[in-house]
Amino acid sequence: MTALRAAMAALLLSASSAAALMPAMGVSAASAAEAGTALPHYSPRDLFDLEYADDPQISPDGRHIVYVRVSNDIMTDRARRNLWIIDTQTGEQRPILSGTDSYSSPRWSPDGKRLAYISSTGGSAQIYVRWMDTGQTARVTNLPEGPSNLAWSPDGKWLAFTMFVPEDKKPLAAMPPKPEGAKWGDAPRVIDDVIYRVDGAGYLESGFSQVFLAPSEGGSPRQLTTGHFDHDGTPTWAPDGKSLLISANRRDDAVYNLNNSEVYEITLATGGIRQLTDRNGPDGRPIVSPDGKHIAIIGYDDQKLGYQIARLEVMDRDGKNRRVISANLDRDVDNPVWREDGKGFYFQYDDKGVTRLAEISLDGRVRDLAANLGGTDLGRPYGSGSFSVSKTGKIAFLTTNPKRPADVALYSGGKVRQLTGLNEDVLAYRDLADAEEMWVKSSADGRDIQAWLMKPPGFDPNKKYPLILEIHGGPFANYGPRFGAEMQAYAAAGYVVVYANPRGSTSYGEAFGNLIHHNYPSQDYDDLMSVVDAVIAKGFVDDKNLFVTGGSGGGVLTAWIVGKTDRFRAAVVSKPVINWTSFALTADMAPFFTQYWFPAMPWEAHEQYWKRSPLSLVGNVKTPTMLLTGESDYRTPMSETEQYYQALKLRRVDTAMVRIPDASHGMSSRPTQLIAKNLNILAWFEKYRTQIPASEGAANVAAQ
């Protein structure tokens, strides 16, 4: 951060009023509009100047919040994660740990006097503890693998965490000895695991995630779990500190039934593990009530549906008398936290594209506390966000809007106060697009479909603009009125942008999500075309300049769309599934996709796989279509993109294949991956865009 940026941030946060979050000098968007001054538009390169808050952790007394401040380093092309602290009374913030190293997972000790965190300072990820009164810091572990999921014991003497433990495998065949000085090729890699590679992690080393315990003042860690089972998620301490609760799938066939975890209790004195739940379905996120008498979990009875609502349940300490608390809330419950009085929970949930902070009583009554959580996905307006609760009832959470990524906010006494304005020094001086909500009746069945419309800077309703339909992935996910750098880049290039939550999207209930169960793509195509028609009907879109793009599940639908209609001038199919059979047998989570997205295996239900594959419609495609995928994508492997590219070439359809080096499915490990994605999509659309001067297009955006 430059000295100017730091000074501006300090000035912006010196007051507690909303006005303190406006620019302190220069020309803001509002003042520029009054003066008739044109502000620069958003440019994909601005990604290097953006920051966002993550993982806000409020102190037990509610006086301070430590959060992860994420920025992009233009010289290393990597995200940098530093720790900052905010005084919740004055709004003052300052760095705790900053620089070129990255820091994550800040966790307050129960008495609020220390802060544990993870850092790779020195080369390997380790656990550190900082004494908050003096700033003294100690490295308390010397681990062979990176730790995660930190949890303090109630007395502050121990830190529970999870860590990967590798397993040695003997080679299948021993090579003969090589002569001294000989340079032979690498030994063969022998793979015999069902899941052998995972998107973002690459080819997996043999081993499992286990639970450990380490002294908070330093010492040797103790491994609490063993076996050929993964123990994921944050361990939860019982109030008496004598046991830990974890969620794990410890069945012998776990790899074939990924969605069947249970809750276990580990007795620390003996190391004994007791199973507390037993049903077909996931039981996760166990948390013990303040009095130690009850356990809350998140889960459901698995019906092998594509979308199943995660419900909040409470059971006795021994696992008996389980009952559903959120039965009347047809939405997923996420991140539940017991209230201090034990009479209910704080939690977050998505409703109609908006992430909300709420509380729920033990009899199921829900009360919303705040809206618009999220903002940690810089690229597109997906749901995200998190929160933490102090013993005083104050809540720190992440807030976003269509023009700003995640900032830190505070809920206290029934009021919400935003505490940071991390991007006012950049985005306050950009003419940004807002997101206007609209509802459309689907031509398929008259069902209500929610969408958002973004207009380009300087929008004139009397002019005609090109339109980009941008489609979310998942498919069980949702867009909303949240920040999305990609959408801002498209609007800045002179396009009207529309994005929607067609059937199958989350945040509208289980029935709406499962309209595409074993039926995807299907009428979601009609939903999207109805949205496009509704925008055209407003009168400011040139219906001869329509464009479509989407990634992952959105890539599936984009390829499906150009196989069904030629109304779009050009399309960009990003990281798609093209052939469901080849996808199911090459994707990283084959045991999941074949069980939940299809009624049977590919060789048993070939017609089901083929009739839903965009490749089955490639003979209809006339639209110029670009393919764009990361070369290290193991979720929708590059072979999917290559099939479609070759098919389009054989049909002599205008096409190109853009391969992003070293990029996994999210295209987010380096800022330049997202920038390259944006610019290539805009360049492809600009190539086929007509009737609008190129000076208003993507060429100028790239040059900004």
Side-chain angles (χ1 to χ4, degrees):
M1 173 182 288
T2 65
L4 173 61
R5 188 168 190 177
M8 289 183 66
L11 180 58
L12 290 170
L13 296 165
S14 63
S16 61
S17 67
L21 296 175
M22 292 303 293
M25 60 194 216
V27 180
S28 69
S31 61
E34 293 177 1
T37 305
L39 288 177
H41 301 170
Y42 178 84
S43 163
R45 190 184 181 280
D46 287 341
L47 189 69
F48 279 114
D49 295 323
L50 298 185
E51 297 183 279
Y52 66 89
D54 198 8
D55 199 7
Q57 296 295 314
I58 193 166
S59 60
D61 62 5
R63 180 62 191 269
H64 295 94
I65 299 169
V66 173
Y67 72 96
V68 181
R69 186 165 175 167
V70 185
S71 58
N72 291 319
D73 189 329
I74 197 171
M75 300 306 294
T76 63
D77 192 21
R78 296 286 186 183
R80 187 168 55 212
R81 292 169 170 82
N82 294 164
L83 299 186
W84 283 63
I85 190 168
I86 305 171
D87 187 312
T88 60
Q89 293 184 6
T90 66
E92 179 188 5
Q93 70 164 325
R94 62 183 63 180
I96 294 180
L97 295 159
S98 64
T100 57
D101 292 320
S102 281
Y103 308 89
S104 64
S105 304
R107 295 295 181 268
W108 292 94
S109 62
D111 61 8
K113 294 181 179 180
R114 290 173 292 168
L115 187 78
Y117 62 93
I118 296 173
S119 174
S120 56
T121 301
S124 62
Q126 302 292 336
I127 301 174
Y128 292 76
V129 171
R130 178 186 179 94
W131 279 255
M132 299 304 288
D133 57 349
T134 65
Q136 292 173 303
T137 298
R139 173 174 159 173
V140 298
T141 61
N142 185 26
L143 304 172
E145 303 284 342
S148 58
N149 299 314
L150 300 184
W152 285 89
S153 64
D155 61 8
K157 293 181 179 180
W158 300 92
L159 284 163
F161 62 95
T162 59
M163 184 179 71
F164 177 77
V165 178
E167 288 190 340
D168 290 330
K169 282 193 173 182
K170 294 181 180 180
L172 184 63
M175 294 291 291
K178 64 181 180 181
E180 183 177 352
K183 295 182 179 180
W184 289 10
D186 293 337
R189 173 186 286 160
V190 178
I191 295 172
D192 58 7
D193 294 313
V194 176
I195 297 176
Y196 60 92
R197 64 182 184 183
V198 172
D199 186 69
Y203 283 81
L204 299 179
E205 184 180 3
S206 294
F208 298 90
S209 176
Q210 306 290 357
V211 180
F212 288 80
L213 202 61
S216 63
E217 294 184 356
S220 300
R222 171 190 171 195
Q223 184 172 338
L224 298 178
T225 60
T226 59
H228 294 185
F229 317 107
D230 281 314
H231 303 79
D232 298 317
T234 302
T236 299
W237 288 86
D240 61 9
K242 295 181 179 180
S243 62
L244 285 171
L245 279 87
I246 60 170
S247 175
N249 187 337
R250 292 173 58 87
R251 292 178 170 81
D252 291 337
D253 65 345
V255 72
Y256 293 102
N257 291 287
L258 300 173
N259 214 19
N260 198 9
S261 60
E262 306 297 346
V263 172
Y264 296 86
E265 182 176 23
I266 306 172
T267 302
L268 299 185
T270 64
I273 298 179
R274 180 171 62 134
Q275 183 174 330
L276 299 181
T277 63
D278 184 13
R279 69 168 165 190
N280 182 26
D283 289 320
R285 303 292 292 270
I287 49 174
V288 186
S289 61
D291 62 8
K293 295 181 179 180
H294 298 91
I295 300 171
I297 62 173
I298 296 292
Y300 53 82
D301 295 309
D302 190 3
Q303 303 298 316
K304 299 291 184 181
L305 297 172
Y307 177 51
Q308 301 177 86
I309 293 289
R311 304 193 185 281
L312 176 64
E313 302 179 0
V314 172
M315 60 188 182
D316 294 344
R317 191 68 177 76
D318 59 3
K320 297 179 180 179
N321 299 319
R322 187 165 63 189
R323 57 193 174 95
V324 178
I325 299 298
S326 63
N328 295 326
L329 180 67
D330 190 20
R331 301 290 187 270
D332 291 299
V333 172
D334 191 20
N335 192 25
V337 177
W338 280 96
R339 283 174 29 177
E340 278 293 307
D341 60 11
K343 295 181 178 180
F345 303 86
Y346 300 105
F347 71 104
Q348 66 187 65
Y349 72 104
D350 286 2
D351 178 53
K352 298 181 178 65
V354 174
T355 306
R356 300 180 182 276
L357 174 66
E359 64 178 359
I360 185 171
S361 62
L362 292 176
D363 60 4
R365 290 173 295 166
V366 175
R367 182 170 73 99
D368 286 348
L369 305 178
N372 300 315
L373 275 68
T376 60
D377 189 323
L378 283 183
R380 294 184 283 168
Y382 282 115
S384 65
S386 60
F387 71 92
S388 62
V389 184
S390 71
K391 293 181 179 180
T392 64
K394 294 181 179 179
I395 305 175
F397 66 96
L398 300 177
T399 185
T400 186
N401 64 61
K403 295 184 177 181
R404 297 293 186 274
D407 275 301
V408 179
L410 178 72
Y411 175 86
S412 177
K415 297 181 179 179
V416 172
R417 180 161 57 103
Q418 186 172 322
L419 299 177
T420 66
L422 300 183
N423 292 285
E424 297 309 306
D425 56 341
V426 178
L427 297 182
Y429 308 99
R430 295 287 185 271
D431 193 352
L432 300 176
D434 208 344
E436 303 173 14
E437 183 185 36
M438 57 185 291
W439 287 84
V440 173
K441 295 289 186 182
S442 173
S443 63
D445 52 13
R447 197 175 301 271
D448 290 329
I449 303 298
Q450 191 178 23
W452 288 265
L453 185 66
M454 299 177 70
K455 298 172 182 175
F459 174 77
D460 183 345
N462 296 314
K463 293 183 178 180
K464 296 283 189 178
Y465 293 87
L467 173 74
I468 293 178
L469 169 65
E470 213 284 346
I471 310 170
H472 75 65
F476 303 108
N478 68 79
Y479 276 165
R482 312 171 180 115
F483 182 81
E486 296 184 48
M487 275 60 168
Q488 291 292 346
Y490 302 148
Y495 292 86
V496 168
V497 182
V498 65
Y499 57 90
N501 285 334
R503 66 192 64 209
S505 300
T506 58
S507 78
Y508 303 90
E510 193 166 46
F512 186 86
N514 281 313
L515 289 171
I516 63 169
H517 177 62
H518 294 174
N519 190 34
Y520 164 72
S522 59
Q523 285 75 37
D524 37 4
Y525 163 81
D526 301 290
D527 298 344
L528 293 169
M529 293 305 98
S530 297
V531 168
V532 171
D533 291 339
V535 179
I536 292 173
K538 292 179 179 293
F540 49 74
V541 166
D542 178 2
D543 63 4
K544 299 297 190 294
N545 267 313
L546 305 180
F547 301 87
V548 59
T549 186
S552 192
V556 175
L557 279 166
T558 302
W560 190 260
I561 285 169
V562 296
K564 300 278 284 186
T565 179
D566 59 1
R567 70 186 302 190
F568 294 92
R569 288 198 61 80
V572 176
V573 175
S574 179
K575 47 190 178 183
V577 175
I578 295 300
N579 181 337
W580 285 109
T581 294
S582 56
F583 163 79
L585 299 178
T586 57
D588 55 356
M589 292 294 168
F592 179 86
F593 296 128
T594 52
Q595 290 185 64
Y596 290 87
W597 289 12
F598 289 91
M601 294 295 173
W603 51 90
E604 298 169 337
H606 174 70
E607 183 58 30
Q608 285 284 329
Y609 285 75
W610 179 247
K611 74 178 183 179
R612 291 162 51 190
S613 296
L615 189 60
S616 69
L617 302 178
V618 73
N620 302 332
V621 177
K622 300 177 182 178
T623 307
T625 300
M626 185 175 83
L627 286 301
L628 188 151
T629 302
E631 290 192 326
S632 297
D633 188 335
Y634 298 132
R635 180 61 45 79
T636 54
M638 181 61 76
S639 56
E640 293 299 300
T641 288
E642 291 171 333
Q643 288 181 69
Y644 204 55
Y645 174 76
Q646 292 283 28
L648 291 173
K649 280 294 186 184
L650 290 173
R651 292 206 60 253
R652 303 188 182 187
V653 175
D654 289 344
T655 187
M657 178 167 54
V658 178
R659 305 166 67 102
I660 307 295
D662 302 320
S664 59
H665 192 65
M667 297 186 192
S668 58
S669 62
R670 292 179 177 271
T672 54
Q673 294 173 352
L674 179 56
I675 293 172
K677 177 187 176 186
N678 277 187
L679 291 178
N680 277 280
I681 290 174
L682 285 168
W684 185 255
F685 289 167
E686 188 68 15
K687 179 179 178 181
Y688 297 97
R689 175 173 161 179
T690 62
Q691 299 179 2
I692 296 178
S695 60
E696 298 179 15
N700 280 359
V701 175
Q704 287 182 25

